[in-house]
Structure formats: C-alpha cells, structure tokens
Amino acid sequence: MPDDFDLLETNSQEKAEKVDVNWGKAIDQMKSKLAQEDDPESRQKILNATLDNVVDMAEKDRSTLLDAIKDLTDYQDEVGIMFEGFSALNGAEQKIIDDAIKRLERAKVELEDANNKPDTWWNNLWGRKSKIKEAEAELKNAQKTRDAADNEAKAMFQQRIETADVQTLLNELSFKSQAAIKRLKDREIEIKEVEESLKTAIVEASNNHTKALQKKKEVEDKLETEYALLKQARQALEEVADKQSTDYSDALSKVTTLEQKVEELEGLKNAYTTLAASKDSFVHKHNLTIKVLTSLRSNLQTHRAKLKSDTDERLKYYDGYVVALKARTDQEFAAILEHLGVKTDEHIGETLAAMHTASARARQEMMDNIPVHEKVMQGVYGSYAEALSEIREKDKSIQKNFAERYGIDMKEIFEDYYAADANAPSGSDGGGEPADGPKPDAGDDDLLG
C-alpha cells in the first residue's frame, strides 16, 4: 500500500477560500426528506419482479435522484456554497460563467489603464476623462453580468437535469460528493487554524490573568499603607481642638488627599480583580472551545474519510447499476425482437398454409369445372352445326334462284365449300372446309371496298 494513503490527511497548504455559511433550516429539510419511506412492500416487489416492474423502479430511482439533486442545489444557495464549484456544469453552462469572469477582469484592466494615463491637458484633450467614464460603466455592467452568470448557468443546469438519465444524475451526485470532500477538508484546515489561534489566546489570557493578579497584589499593598496613613491623619484631625485654625485645615486637606488615593487604589484593585477573573474565564472558555472544535474536526475527518472512500466505491457501484440498466434494456430489446420474430413466423406460416390450401382448392375447382366446360362446348358445337345446316339450306335456295333467274350454275361455286354432307356431325364438318373459302361474286371486289 502506498505511503501517502491517508484518508484523514489534512494539508494546510491546500486551503481554499473561506465560505460564509448561513445554515437556516436546509439541513433539517433534507434530513426529513431522506428519512421518508413510502414503500413498505419492497420485499414483495422483489419477489414478484418482472422486467416491466424494473422499468418503474428505475424511473422511481431517477425521480428520487432528480429531487435529491434539486434539493442539494437549493441547499448550496442556503449555506452559501458557490454553485459553479459544487455542480458538474457542461460546456455551455461553464462558458456563461467563464465569459462573465473574463469580461469582468478585462473591464478592471481597462479601467486601471485609463486611470493610469497621466492627467495632462494633452491626454484630456484626447478623451482621457471620457474613457475613464466608459471604463467605469463597462466595469459596472460586467459586474452585473458576473453576478447574474451563476443564476443563468444554474437555470440551464436545472433545465438540463430535468430530462437527464440516471447515469447523468449519478455522475452529478458523485461530483457533489467529491466537492463535499474538498469542502470538508477545507473546513478541517480552518478549524485547525482557529484552534491554534485559541491556543495562543489561552496563553495570552493566562499571562494577563497572572499580571492582573500581580497588579492587584501591588495595589493591595499600597492600599494597606494608605489605609494606615489615613487612619493616622484622621486621628490627627480629631486631635486638633480649634476647628477654625490653619492646623485643622491642613489636617483636613491631608485626610481628603489620602481618601482620594484610597478610593483610586480601591478602584484599581476592583479593576484588576475583575480583569483577572475575566482572563481566567476566557482561559476556560477558550479551552472549552478548543475541545469542541477538536471534536468537530475529528467528526469532519471521519465523515470525509468515509465519504472519500465510499465515493470511490460508489462510483464502481453506480457503474454496475448503469450497466445493469442497459443490460435490462438490451434484454427487453432482445425479447421484443424474439416476440416479433415469433409473430412474423406465425404470420408467414399462416400465409404459406393459406397459399397451399388456396392452390389446392383452385386445382379442385379447375378439375370440377372440366365437365361443365365440356357440356358448354357441346352446346356450342350443336348450335354451330344447327346454324350451319340452316345456312346450307339457304344457300341451296339461293343457287336455285340464281340458276332460274340468271342462268348461272352456282353448283361449282358452292361445290367445294359444301363438299361435306350437310347432315354430318359438326365435329367432322369443320375440318373439311377451306380456311379461306371462295367469296361469292369475286368480280365485284370494288363494291365491297
């Protein structure tokens, strides 16, 4: 184990700027919220957990973390912790603060440069005074921008974490823990310095207590002498018989002078007595304060050591939690894909089965329709033969009429066309006829055009 491993180490060289704290009621509010427990059925939830239940629980974790981050951010304001030093700002949020700081620093330099120009008529002619006013106005505006930068960055930060995921919120909580570790260490250093100053104060108070007692003793010795002189002076005053004489006046004056000295010495005695008592009291008060501060510093060390150690472990713990959430999501995604795959298989199977049965039914219908088609075709052929027979009879009549009226023998013209027997079945007649039989009156082609 390295030599520098010391969770309780407090290095005064790393002391940060002190922060004035206004405690208020923030601590009690946060402790009250942390103590709330509204889920007495957690065991049953674990026993009956499903992936869907886990989603609800993880969302509750996110909601709880979000509320905690908001409370901590508000707490920072109440106790006077600088926001940008205690929250994990992103680039845009940090840029608002950085730009405001740069503008303020630049304004200070420009005002200093303007004031450093010699107050001569030549520089004043070229606008020295107006440049100073402009620089002062810019410094004032830059200071306003700097003062508002924290609130603007904080508003952006709050808006961002409203929709942040668990991992972002856990990172923010870890950042605050690490910032708190540094703050605790700085507070320990501050307490240690106060302890040292109180030790010095104890020595000084003790020395002053001793000096006050010594002075008191010196005054008491003088008082004893003056009391003896005053007693003698009063006795001498009483012994003067003539109250109107110079001796009486001198004796009275001496008594008065001694009484004044006694009164002054009594006052000094009381003052030194009070001073000695006060210094003695402060010795005890400082000693008690040191004990309290030492106890507090010890407690801070304990908290800081535990927080530092636990934060290091907690980061690994949080990593495991985040990975577990991602794994749950991946598992759910895989389950969805599996479900979709099964459903797709079912649908394709249904389609293929329907296609097969439809094809079989179509084949059956085709087979069933063959006799029907044959019967229809027989009717067609019968009608055709009947019509053809009528046409032949009509043609014979036309031939006879032509022969009688015009002396033209039409027999040869129709002979080949009607080579078959008119009463023969229609199936045998079709094949014996020319595909392109002679047209009647071929010589009148021009009339048919």
Side-chain angles (χ1 to χ4, degrees), residues 235-249:
Q235 183 66 35
L237 181 63
E238 290 177 0
E239 291 176 354
V240 176
D242 187 1
K243 306 299 182 182
Q244 302 299 322
S245 64
T246 303
D247 292 339
Y248 184 82
S249 297

Side-chain angles (χ1 to χ4, degrees), residues 282-328:
F282 272 106
V283 167
H284 294 293
K285 289 177 182 177
H286 292 338
N287 186 54
L288 175 61
T289 304
I290 288 176
K291 289 180 180 179
V292 172
L293 289 177
T294 303
S295 175
L296 289 173
R297 181 163 57 86
S298 176
N299 290 339
L300 286 177
Q301 284 181 329
T302 302
H303 283 297
R304 178 173 60 86
K306 186 175 186 304
L307 185 59
K308 184 176 186 299
S309 177
D310 289 355
T311 298
D312 294 339
E313 301 297 335
R314 197 166 282 126
L315 289 174
K316 303 168 188 174
Y317 182 56
Y318 289 165
D319 287 342
Y321 175 60
V322 171
V323 170
L325 284 179
K326 293 178 180 178
R328 189 222 66 81

